[in-house]
Amino acid sequence: MIGLELEQPVNAADESELAARELGQWIVRQLSSRNPAEAIPDETVLRQRLNISMIPFLLIVDSLQTGNLQLKDLEKLLSSYFDRELLLIPLHDNEWLILANHNLLEDEEQNDSSAPGREIYSEQEDTEEDVLTAFALGLHELVASEWVGVFHISVARPLIPADRLVQTVAQLRETIHLGKLFHVSDHIHLPWEMRLESLLYRIPVEERQRFVDSAEDHSHLFGDEETVSTLETFFKMDCNVSETAKQLYIHRNTLLYRLDKIKQETQLDVRRFEDAVLMRLTLLLYKVTKS
């Protein structure tokens, strides 16, 4: 019949993508607002799906060398990794919020050693933080193997997204920012490992600089990659000499020689608790001051 236009059926996948993009735009608006809302509005299409406990991951793409990271392609990849329904919410072209079902922490099948990164942990001995770390590691490995580029991932503990999603996204963003600032070689950034960095970052710039200046001039040490790697690994291994030597693939005596050399040049013996604390603070503040 001439002049009659038939209404085209709406694709369910397109509706789902539109709802995800609308929620992402709302989150971004709240993050830039002076008085952000925490609870998601009742009229939001996806609100009902956000009333259960979910695990939030934030994926940020620093650079992409091959291909384009599209929502549908990323969603397909993530669904195969988590092996269950999830929500993928684009915040920006290079930033994605992933909400996975909290049952990942309880399902023994999710510890299958065939999945990337998961063979590192044993569920019976793991804490919640260990399991979340394992999923973040596996997720990074999966994305990095599919697209060539630089990716950063953070994860937080389970939450009810409908109630406090904006605050959680802000925390994940800050965690990645702090990780890139203080630990430039890392790509997995965990809020529970960034408490000290978060505190130091909130110190006014002038106070940070004053602290660094008050210490003796150790800039030649902090500019040496081997020394910085030695110190960071030593602190990561809880100042355990044997474990640090194993992690660095060096002889125990080689590590002791390096620590003695640091002591001679700084008068700080990082095998002592107080000196180790002072050295770690100085190193962290030096990084953020010189960045």
Side-chain angles (χ1 to χ4, degrees):
M1 184 180 296
I2 299 176
L4 180 62
E5 294 184 1
L6 297 178
E7 185 175 335
Q8 296 294 322
V10 179
N11 187 294
D14 292 339
E15 280 190 338
S16 178
E17 179 175 337
L18 178 60
R21 292 190 181 280
E22 287 179 347
L23 177 57
Q25 292 168 4
W26 179 83
I27 293 172
V28 170
R29 287 197 301 271
Q30 299 308 310
L31 289 171
S32 60
S33 171
R34 290 185 177 180
N35 299 299
E38 274 301 312
I40 296 174
D42 293 336
E43 63 271 17
T44 302
V45 175
L46 293 175
R47 196 183 197 287
Q48 282 299 111
R49 292 181 62 185
L50 301 175
N51 275 324
I52 63 171
S53 181
M54 307 183 86
I55 303 170
F57 297 82
L58 188 65
L59 167 65
I60 291 182
V61 183
D62 260 6
S63 63
L64 198 61
Q65 298 178 22
T66 59
N68 295 313
L69 208 162
Q70 301 293 336
L71 185 145
K72 291 180 180 179
D73 294 333
L74 181 57
E75 187 172 40
K76 182 179 179 181
L77 186 71
L78 295 176
S79 295
S80 68
Y81 176 65
F82 290 114
D83 193 27
R84 62 186 66 227
E85 187 180 11
L86 56 85
L87 271 176
L88 178 61
I89 303 169
L91 302 178
H92 292 290
D93 290 340
N94 65 337
E95 185 179 29
W96 309 80
L97 174 64
I98 304 159
L99 295 172
N101 194 293
H102 80 288
N103 287 338
L104 288 172
L105 297 176
E106 304 169 1
D107 192 348
E108 293 182 358
E109 294 179 1
Q110 295 305 313
N111 289 312
D112 186 347
S113 61
S114 64
R118 296 180 195 171
E119 67 278 5
I120 299 174
Y121 298 98
S122 167
E123 186 185 28
Q124 292 182 350
E125 300 175 358
D126 288 346
T127 64
E128 182 178 81
E129 294 174 356
D130 291 331
V131 178
L132 292 174
T133 301
F135 274 109
L137 287 167
L139 181 57
H140 181 271
E141 182 179 332
L142 187 71
V143 173
S145 66
E146 188 73 16
W147 292 278
V148 178
V150 178
F151 308 93
H152 293 271
I153 291 177
S154 185
V155 59
R157 294 182 177 85
L159 76 154
I160 305 295
D163 297 333
R164 52 189 182 94
L165 188 57
V166 174
Q167 178 185 2
T168 301
V169 173
Q171 179 195 32
L172 293 175
R173 271 188 172 182
E174 180 183 81
T175 299
I176 290 180
H177 173 69
L178 293 174
K180 292 163 68 174
L181 188 63
F182 287 100
H183 307 284
V184 294
S185 63
D186 293 346
H187 296 96
I188 306 299
H189 312 285
L190 309 168
W192 48 87
E193 292 185 355
M194 291 287 178
R195 296 188 183 105
L196 180 58
E197 288 84 346
S198 179
L199 176 63
L200 296 178
Y201 187 68
R202 284 167 170 73
I203 298 175
V205 176
E206 298 79 7
E207 291 299 323
R208 295 185 214 154
Q209 186 64 59
R210 189 174 294 115
F211 183 89
V212 173
D213 292 343
S214 67
E216 294 185 18
D217 183 14
H218 306 323
S219 59
H220 64 290
L221 284 177
F222 297 151
D224 180 66
E225 291 185 8
E226 182 182 272
T227 300
V228 171
S229 175
T230 298
L231 287 170
E232 290 183 336
T233 306
F234 186 65
F235 297 143
K236 186 177 181 180
M237 295 294 106
D238 296 325
C239 300
N240 185 302
V241 172
S242 298
E243 292 302 318
T244 302
K246 289 180 184 178
Q247 193 76 12
L248 292 172
Y249 300 102
I250 60 176
H251 194 277
R252 189 174 189 275
N253 290 343
T254 303
L255 175 60
L256 292 174
Y257 170 78
R258 291 183 186 179
L259 297 181
D260 286 337
K261 184 178 178 182
I262 292 171
K263 178 182 177 182
Q264 290 174 6
E265 299 198 30
T266 66
Q267 306 306 310
L268 295 176
D269 184 354
V270 293
R271 287 162 289 192
R272 296 181 63 249
F273 175 76
E274 291 186 5
D275 286 356
V277 170
L278 184 57
M279 178 62 81
R280 183 154 191 246
L281 287 174
T282 305
L283 178 57
L284 288 173
L285 286 173
Y286 177 84
K287 284 184 177 182
V288 71
T289 301
K290 299 300 179 181
S291 62

